[in-house]
Amino acid sequence: KKPGGAAVYREVWGDLYYSFDYRNAHFTVLDTDQEGELRSSAGKQLAWLKSDLSKARKKTHRFVLFHRPIVSLQNGDELHELFVKHKVTAVLYGHQHHYHQYIRDGIPYVMTMSATRLGTPFQEAGSFHHYLLATVRDGSFSYAIVKKGGILPPGIVAPEDNRGLYGINRRLLKTREVVYDSLTSAAGGKQVSIGLKNPTTQELHVYLEWELPNLRWSVTPIKGTLATLPPETEDHQVLFQLHYSGAGTPEAYPSCLLKTLYLTHDGDWITTEKIFTVLAGQKESP
């Protein structure tokens, strides 16, 4: 939030968190961007939430809506236990710009988006523009995914594919760029370490290929390198030596293309690509 944003919101729209009833359903809307509130185990909002859900116990349905995924909140487990205690019908949120759904202790947790930039390039990860059409009748709740070209069922995106592809897209490369002059000199060149992470539960083979802008650049050990990452690898460093044989400052710098294959739950291979870039520039003064 921008400084003063909360005050402006209150002036125009009202409370940052609130609830309302519609027929047999109770809706609780939370603000998950308040530090020291819902993102921790303390705060006025959490106390209000406990009271709000308790007062709504006579409603057939209780829905909770907020912005950030519950797994990103510091007290996500505490909130989940609260939702279980009060038999919440469903929890809906956004933030990561794709669709996913998983069931935990009988509660559907659903991420959705309707517009803006997609979270990944992969439909298999839930990255497609859509909205949800929800139906509440008596004691039943259901929803469908409405997107261009048709209506899809809630389980169209496998949770493991969503986590795997989203994780690769966001976390495979630990650092995406480096300034050339900040690199350590070694063996007549500059040492480059590309840090990789495997956030998935399957082994990943990462193919690294350097793009050299002209013949004055070379790289060792070789331009094309294969790195194998066991499941849930936190830190795997791939070392290279960059050599520049020209005089003066280079007019262009190398980059490295990384490709990896991800195997979906139904046996499809998805190719992901990332680029590691070497930038021009001087070391910053201490």
Side-chain angles (χ1 to χ4, degrees):
K1 293 180 179 178
K2 295 182 179 179
V8 173
Y9 183 93
R10 287 191 182 96
E11 181 181 346
V12 176
W13 298 103
D15 294 334
L16 298 178
Y17 51 90
Y18 55 92
S19 64
F20 61 92
D21 295 329
Y22 182 75
R23 296 187 179 179
N24 67 340
H26 181 78
F27 296 84
T28 303
V29 183
L30 303 176
D31 179 5
T32 52
D33 287 277
Q34 291 191 79
E35 293 290 349
E37 286 287 332
L38 258 178
R39 297 182 70 186
S40 71
S41 59
K44 295 180 181 179
Q45 186 175 181
L46 182 60
W48 174 87
L49 172 62
K50 293 177 180 179
S51 174
D52 179 73
L53 291 177
S54 179
K55 292 177 182 178
R57 60 184 178 274
K58 292 184 179 180
K59 289 294 181 180
T60 305
H61 297 283
R62 283 159 292 281
F63 297 96
V64 181
L65 303 91
F66 43 81
H67 177 67
R68 295 181 180 272
I70 191 169
V71 295
S72 69
L73 303 180
Q74 296 174 12
N75 63 328
D77 288 341
E78 179 185 12
L79 291 175
H80 172 71
E81 291 174 4
L82 187 63
F83 299 157
V84 172
K85 175 183 177 181
H86 291 284
K87 299 180 180 179
V88 168
T89 303
V91 179
L92 298 98
Y93 45 87
H95 184 61
Q96 293 180 341
H97 295 204
H98 62 267
Y99 167 82
H100 82 211
Q101 180 222 44
Y102 68 95
I103 309 295
R104 182 179 177 188
D105 296 325
I107 299 177
Y109 285 86
V110 186
M111 177 185 290
T112 186
M113 65 166 290
S114 59
T116 195
R117 174 181 56 85
L118 295 171
T120 79
F122 314 111
Q123 290 201 46
E124 294 84 355
S127 292
F128 46 82
H129 291 111
H130 69 280
Y131 64 89
L132 303 182
L133 178 62
T135 302
V136 179
R137 285 197 177 95
D138 299 326
S140 67
F141 162 73
S142 62
Y143 75 91
I145 305 165
V146 181
K147 65 185 291 289
K148 182 179 180 181
I151 299 177
L152 304 174
I156 191 65
V157 177
E160 59 268 36
D161 292 342
N162 170 263
R163 288 191 297 268
L165 288 166
Y166 185 79
I168 291 173
N169 190 65
R170 294 296 296 270
R171 298 192 292 274
L172 175 68
L173 259 178
K174 301 191 75 172
T175 302
R176 299 189 181 190
E177 57 188 32
V178 65
V179 175
Y180 182 72
D181 286 345
S182 69
L183 297 173
T184 302
S185 297
K190 295 282 192 177
Q191 180 174 286
V192 182
S193 180
I194 300 182
L196 303 176
K197 180 176 182 177
N198 179 2
T200 77
T201 57
Q202 59 184 255
E203 184 177 79
L204 292 182
H205 301 284
V206 183
Y207 301 87
L208 302 94
E209 182 178 1
W210 282 93
E211 298 288 340
L212 306 177
N214 51 54
L215 295 178
R216 291 186 291 276
W217 285 99
S218 63
V219 61
T220 56
I222 55 175
K223 283 177 58 178
T225 301
L226 171 64
T228 299
L229 279 61
E232 299 179 345
T233 297
E234 288 295 323
D235 186 19
H236 182 95
Q237 298 293 323
V238 186
L239 297 177
F240 297 94
Q241 300 286 339
L242 283 177
H243 304 270
Y244 180 69
S245 61
T249 302
E251 67 275 15
Y253 291 82
S255 62
C256 187
L257 175 64
L258 295 86
K259 293 184 179 181
T260 188
L261 292 174
Y262 177 85
L263 184 62
T264 68
H265 76 289
D266 57 0
D268 292 330
W269 287 105
I270 305 297
T271 302
T272 67
E273 295 187 359
K274 288 292 174 185
I275 296 179
F276 177 85
T277 305
V278 179
L279 301 174
Q282 302 294 322
K283 289 183 179 179
E284 294 184 1
S285 300

